[in-house]
Amino acid sequence: MLGSVAEAQDVVQDAWLRWQCADVSEVRNVPAFLNRIVTRLCLDAMKSARLKRETYIGSWLPDPLPEPDDDFRADNLTVTLMLALERLSPLERAAFLLHDVFGTPMDEIAATLDRDVAAVRQLASRARRNVQSDKPRYPIARDDGERIAMAFLNATRTGDVETLRAILAEGVRIVSDGGGKVLAFPNAIIGLDKALRLYSGLFRKYGDVESIVRQIWIDGLPGYVSVYNGTLQTTSFEIEDGRIAAIYKVRNPDKLAHMPAHVGTIQ
């Protein structure tokens, strides 16, 4: 709902406090009750989040959420889809996530959003149409995703333009989120030729200044955590037909504070 680990933690904590104050004997359906509290808190949080996004410096990406090696997610909530959710109204986003992702019954969603069932169906349907093109069509096999991610890392570290040409899609898109706090591309870089010029130029200027911390899946996409020229970052890849269609780099330190808890000590 929020795209922010810190904001999500605040919501969960607030929901827990409200649960502690509730008269449990009056609660007939505990999961539905908690679902309703969390969703409404998220809707409140999204109002202030939208104001922050309007003044955000550079490209905005959701906080990277690494996946444990033994807990491969199947909800298809990739970075691309979460960015598509940003185009929806808060109510549309809630209806879509609750129904299409978490399988919540329509009547329960209607009670949560304080709308009738017909209105909620319209919200979910409108949201579904708006994000359908951004849902992954063919989920990539785990081994293939990890192989392509490492091929990209090795190619950028060695200046291997021909390998990059082979693994990047013609319309590849590179999005970098520094939040105005560290160096990042202010706007998305789109197209194979621009991407090749970018990475060959970076290698000529800096050489091999990236060290990998850990290969990991991030928000449903293959990627890794690394240190580039002294700055911590995550990189994840949207892969279509065996080629990288989009590259998402999060460098904003505020969005990476939770990373050591997932990948261990970072030197």
Side-chain angles (χ1 to χ4, degrees), residues 7-226:
E7 290 176 0
Q9 290 172 338
D10 288 344
V11 163
V12 171
Q13 184 177 39
D14 197 355
W16 171 253
L17 293 174
R18 296 189 184 204
W19 168 247
Q20 292 299 297
C21 297
D23 183 354
V24 180
S25 64
E26 296 294 322
V27 179
R28 294 189 300 274
N29 185 330
V30 173
F33 179 79
L34 294 173
N35 202 8
R36 188 174 306 175
I37 290 176
V38 170
T39 300
R40 289 179 175 177
L41 288 172
C42 283
L43 291 172
D44 290 340
M46 288 173 65
K47 294 176 183 177
S48 61
R50 283 181 175 267
L51 295 177
K52 294 178 183 176
R53 305 274 165 81
E54 291 176 1
T55 58
Y56 196 81
I57 299 175
S59 300
W60 179 90
L61 290 172
D63 289 11
L65 190 62
E67 299 170 8
D69 294 334
D70 59 350
D71 185 27
F72 185 63
R73 281 169 43 185
D75 57 21
N76 288 331
L77 281 176
T78 64
V79 179
T80 305
L81 183 54
M82 286 192 285
L83 288 173
L85 294 179
E86 286 291 306
R87 301 196 299 263
L88 306 179
S89 72
L91 289 177
E92 287 173 340
R93 190 190 309 195
F96 175 82
L97 288 173
L98 289 172
H99 184 262
D100 286 43
V101 176
F102 297 113
T104 306
M106 279 292 182
D107 57 344
E108 188 176 316
I109 300 174
T112 296
L113 302 183
D114 196 22
R115 298 289 192 280
D116 59 42
V117 172
V120 170
R121 289 188 187 280
Q122 288 185 342
L123 286 170
S125 177
R126 188 160 58 242
R128 197 176 301 119
R129 288 196 302 271
N130 287 335
V131 305
Q132 197 66 42
S133 61
D134 293 290
K135 295 184 71 174
R137 292 173 297 172
Y138 308 106
I140 188 169
R142 199 170 183 85
D143 289 345
D144 290 339
E146 293 170 354
R147 174 182 54 79
I148 293 173
M150 287 300 97
F152 173 86
L153 175 64
N154 293 329
T156 55
R157 292 181 64 180
T158 60
D160 186 351
V161 174
E162 292 310 309
T163 294
L164 288 175
R165 189 187 305 276
I167 62 175
L168 296 178
E170 190 66 34
V172 64
R173 184 163 53 96
I174 306 168
V175 184
S176 179
D177 179 345
K181 300 187 176 184
V182 297
L183 286 175
F185 314 135
N187 301 303
I189 295 169
I190 302 174
L192 178 59
D193 290 340
K194 290 182 179 179
L196 294 178
R197 288 199 299 271
L198 168 70
Y199 285 113
S200 62
L202 288 174
F203 181 76
R204 285 196 304 271
K205 184 174 182 178
Y206 298 111
D208 180 9
V209 292
E210 185 168 15
S211 58
I212 186 169
V213 174
R214 184 178 173 186
Q215 185 174 12
I216 198 168
W217 283 67
I218 303 169
D219 294 314
L221 300 178
Y224 49 81
V225 182
S226 65

